[in-house]
Amino acid sequence: MKNHIFTAFRLTFVMLAIVGIYLLIVYGGSKVLPTKGNAEIITQNGQKFYANIGQEFKSEKYFHGRPSSVNYNAAGSGGSNKGPSNKEYLETVQKRIDTLKMEHPGMENTKVPVELVTASGSGLDPDISEEGALYQVKRIAEVRNISEEKVRDLVKNQTEKPFLGLLGPSKINVLKLNIALDQLK
């Protein structure tokens, strides 16, 4: 009996040490990141926005991000838990595709980027792909009466390349892109 108790205590202390070391590595690693592991807060016109949480943009003069299954509420992030074989989910995605094609005349024959019609796992993804932004260029250029070339250049300038050129896809933060769009003359 004593052997089992001592073995249990040793295992507990070894696991505490392993978990403690892991937590220190994760915490220390977060401090190396540009935001030091904190939220990236952008202040615009006296209002604070979190750049690492998806925002909803409904106006035609702005780029739109990913749909959200939680209505962009960061207090309760989560996916819809509906898979690609779910009939209701497929109908929702098809409605989004149809709506996008109506909002973007001249793009009917262009493939709709997947992130513009599907929510992320958290429902709060702040980024879209470069293709997702380029899909919206024509609409924004027309609404804002700006050349498509200027808007395309803005998209290219706002595109974040993969980490170390290898890890992850290229992406664009929709909030930062729309702030830069407002500053475009």
Side-chain angles (χ1 to χ4, degrees), residues 56-137:
E56 183 173 27
F57 293 95
K58 291 183 179 180
S59 173
E60 290 296 307
K61 69 179 190 171
Y62 288 113
F63 285 94
H64 299 167
R66 291 188 80 152
S68 175
S69 56
V70 294
N71 295 323
Y72 303 95
N73 181 355
S77 72
S80 69
N81 293 332
K82 295 178 183 169
S85 62
N86 183 296
K87 190 174 183 177
E88 183 182 329
Y89 173 74
L90 293 174
E91 288 172 2
T92 301
V93 170
Q94 188 59 51
K95 284 179 189 172
R96 289 175 183 159
I97 291 171
D98 295 341
T99 302
L100 270 175
K101 289 190 175 192
M102 281 180 11
E103 291 174 349
H104 299 87
M107 301 295 280
E108 295 89 4
N109 297 327
T110 306
K111 183 180 172 190
V112 175
V114 70
E115 76 273 3
L116 295 180
V117 293
T118 59
S120 65
S122 68
L124 299 171
D125 191 351
D127 303 317
I128 58 174
S129 68
E130 187 174 356
E131 292 79 24
L134 291 173
Y135 186 87
Q136 302 177 65
V137 164

Side-chain angles (χ1 to χ4, degrees), residues 52 88 95 139 149 171:
N52 42 0
E88 183 182 329
K95 284 179 189 172
R139 169 182 52 88
E149 187 178 327
K171 61 185 179 180

